[in-house]
Every structure is written in structure tokens, then in C-alpha cells.
Amino acid sequence: MNDHCIFLSHATSDKRIAKQIKTALELEVGQKCFLFSDDARKGENWFDTIKEAVRSCSEIYSLLTPDSVSRQWLAAEWAAFALQDRPWMPLLLNVSITDVWDAMKPNQATVLTSVDDVQKMLEQIAERTGRNPDDGSRPAAHRLVKDIQKAFEQARLDNVMGSVTYVIRCSRSGNPNIRVEHVEPIVKAGKLADVIPAFLEVEAVDVKRKQFAIALAALDRFSDAYRVASVIGTKAEKKNVALAVATKTPVKAPEDSEEWQFLIKIHDQLAYPQKRDVWNLMKELGIVRRGPWENEPQLGVDPIIQTSSSDATSANLSKPD
């Protein structure tokens, strides 16, 4: 390490952006930076490498993006400097200072989309290193802002394609559960058409279809959720998706709303016990029932309870599975 080295703290998904910043600081103003993905040596314990860098670096710049601002590991790296009263600065990219941790807010942040902010950062570093950009700090700031935006867009694309691959793999048995955070970047990037077919194939398992459909419902993609839920073979798993949609249904949603279109179409694919559970949730939430759900008040009670003892056996035998 040189006498003054900046620890560039970043999430793995933002590695491309962090590399762009490191390259610019080294070339434009001669600032040495530690970047784990570049400076960790093969075969070394990664935690020991980070601890050594924390000890050796003079200050920390924390790269905070929509993907990293809530990451606990970035908070831990920042705290290792802040608690020792060593210099630190947030680098904000497509997030605002209100999004960062309260303890980080007092220090001046650099907004990486602001040429003025980036120019000020370069000039402050140049004062220490004694090296100025060849064509001046303003053109260098313009270049860096432009290059960071390009790196952000490419990183976002990389992350989306990684999410696509991950969720498709998770459609099969024996893979991790599918959660909303896995599906959200796919939806935002308009890549659902690349993923849904995997859940319609026979190799996909019902529990994974359910997880994917529930995630889609949480993201208000009800028609896509129905495409997946409609091929679920297990009525109990189908019901779980219907419950998730019912939870998202406004109390007075009209019959032609996407939520009700899902619930109406799924109605005949459920047997009595599943319909009853969905009906009871609607009642609990105070939802005004539409379509076939409106005409089945008997779902609120178990017909076995309403049957005389002499008819109990036949009622139980005739009750759908």
C-alpha cells in the first residue's frame, strides 16, 4: 500500500462500477485504491485480506447504489473506519442521502451523477497527491460521470441476466427457494418472457411454480402469476397463490381488475377446501366478492358441521378432495 490508500467499499453486484472509479482515480489524480476484486490474492482467506486492507488504508469511500445501500457488509466496512475516526465518504449513485444509514448522513457525500460533485472530489484528491488531470478537473469529471453511468447500466444488465439464470435454475427440484427480490429485477428489466416458459415445462415442480407465482403477485403481475398458477397440479399450492392474490386485492376492486380476473379464473381449478380458505380470507379482509365467489356464501362453513348425524357419512364421502 502507498502512504495514503482509499478502501473502495462496494457490493459484488457493483464491481464493474467500482472498477471504473478506481481506474479513474488512479489515472487522473494518482490515487491508490484498494478494491477487493482486484487486489485480493488467489488462495488467501478473503476475510483476512479485507481486515488487512482496513488496517492499511487511510480512508474509505462507500459506493452506495440501489442494490447496495441496505447491505450490512458495507455498513460493517464503513464502521471499521468511522469508529476509529478515520476519514470516510459516501459515493451516491442513483440513491439519495435520505436512503443511507443515519450514522453516515453527517458527512458530505459525493453524488456520482453530479459533475460538480465529482469535480470537487477529484480536486480534493489532487491537492493531496499533487497530480491533476492532464486536461483539467472539469473534463475529467465529465468523463468519469459518463463512464460511471455506462458501468451502472452494464452492471444492471449483468445482474438481470444473472437473476434470469438463477430463477430458471430454481424452477427445478432441489434448488433454493424463489423470493421477490430474485424476481423483481427481471420484471423491471422486462425479461419475464425469458423466464416464464421454464415454469410451464414439465420439469418444473409445483412448489417452485407456487413460489414464482406468489413473487409475481407481490409485484402486481397478476396475469403472469395466473399463467404459472394455472399449470400447478397440486390444488393446495394453487390455493396458496390465490391467497397471495386475495391479500393484494383492494376491498372494492371491480370485477374487471387484474386481481379479480385471476381469482375468477382460478375458482374452478380449486376444490371445496381450497375455495373455503380463499373465501374466508376474503371475508376476513372485508373484500367485496365478485363473480363466482359472490354466489358461494356456503364456503364460509364446513358442510359436515351442517349435516345431521345420519347424513354425516354420505356428506363426508361426497365432499370433494
Side-chain angles (χ1 to χ4, degrees), residues 49-262:
T49 301
I50 289 178
K51 287 194 297 183
E52 177 57 32
V54 168
R55 286 192 293 266
S56 303
C57 289
S58 306
E59 63 181 311
I60 186 170
Y61 284 6
S62 298
L63 175 58
L64 301 177
T65 69
D67 191 51
S68 69
V69 71
S70 61
R71 300 290 182 91
Q72 294 180 352
W73 189 251
L74 266 72
E77 290 177 340
W78 165 80
F81 285 81
L83 294 176
Q84 297 182 52
D85 291 324
R86 288 193 281 166
W88 51 271
M89 182 168 65
L91 304 179
L92 307 183
L93 181 58
N94 298 327
V95 295
S96 79
I97 192 64
T98 59
D99 297 319
V100 308
W101 318 295
D102 287 342
M104 185 180 273
K105 290 176 181 177
N107 270 26
Q108 183 67 37
T110 293
V111 178
L112 294 176
T113 54
S114 166
V115 174
D116 289 340
D117 275 16
V118 173
Q119 180 181 359
K120 183 179 179 180
M121 176 184 71
L122 293 175
E123 289 173 349
Q124 289 175 340
I125 295 173
E127 287 181 8
R128 181 176 62 246
T129 63
R131 177 176 169 180
N132 290 291
D134 292 340
D135 55 353
S137 59
R138 190 69 178 181
H142 272 287
R143 282 194 299 274
L144 183 51
V145 168
K146 184 177 180 181
D147 289 343
I148 286 173
Q149 285 288 14
K150 287 182 179 178
F152 177 80
E153 291 302 320
Q154 187 59 52
R156 189 168 70 97
L157 180 59
D158 292 344
N159 293 341
V160 167
M161 297 315 296
S163 295
V164 167
T165 301
Y166 178 84
V167 171
I168 289 176
R169 176 167 59 86
C170 288
S171 67
R172 275 42 174 177
S173 178
N175 286 294
N177 292 335
I178 300 168
R179 300 192 297 273
V180 175
E181 55 264 34
H182 300 143
V183 181
E184 187 172 16
I186 298 172
V187 171
K188 288 183 175 179
K191 294 291 184 180
L192 269 180
D194 296 339
V195 177
I196 288 180
F199 289 85
L200 306 182
E201 295 174 358
V202 295
E203 291 84 359
V205 294
D206 280 350
V207 67
K208 301 300 185 178
R209 288 170 173 152
K210 174 202 69 176
Q211 293 169 1
F212 184 51
I214 287 176
L216 290 172
L219 297 167
D220 297 331
R221 301 291 299 221
F222 301 107
S223 59
D224 293 315
Y226 177 77
R227 285 186 65 194
V228 177
S230 65
V231 298
I232 294 176
T234 309
K235 290 183 174 62
E237 301 291 19
K238 230 184 253 279
K239 175 203 73 175
N240 287 330
V241 184
L243 290 172
V245 173
T247 301
K248 294 278 291 183
T249 304
V251 171
K252 295 184 179 181
E255 187 170 321
D256 61 356
S257 66
E258 287 195 33
E259 296 92 335
W260 271 113
Q261 285 303 298
F262 176 101

Side-chain angles (χ1 to χ4, degrees), residues 34-58:
F34 171 83
L35 188 66
F36 177 76
S37 55
D38 283 351
D39 299 321
R41 291 184 287 273
K42 298 294 184 183
E44 285 191 337
N45 181 287
W46 68 269
F47 189 59
D48 290 341
T49 301
I50 289 178
K51 287 194 297 183
E52 177 57 32
V54 168
R55 286 192 293 266
S56 303
C57 289
S58 306

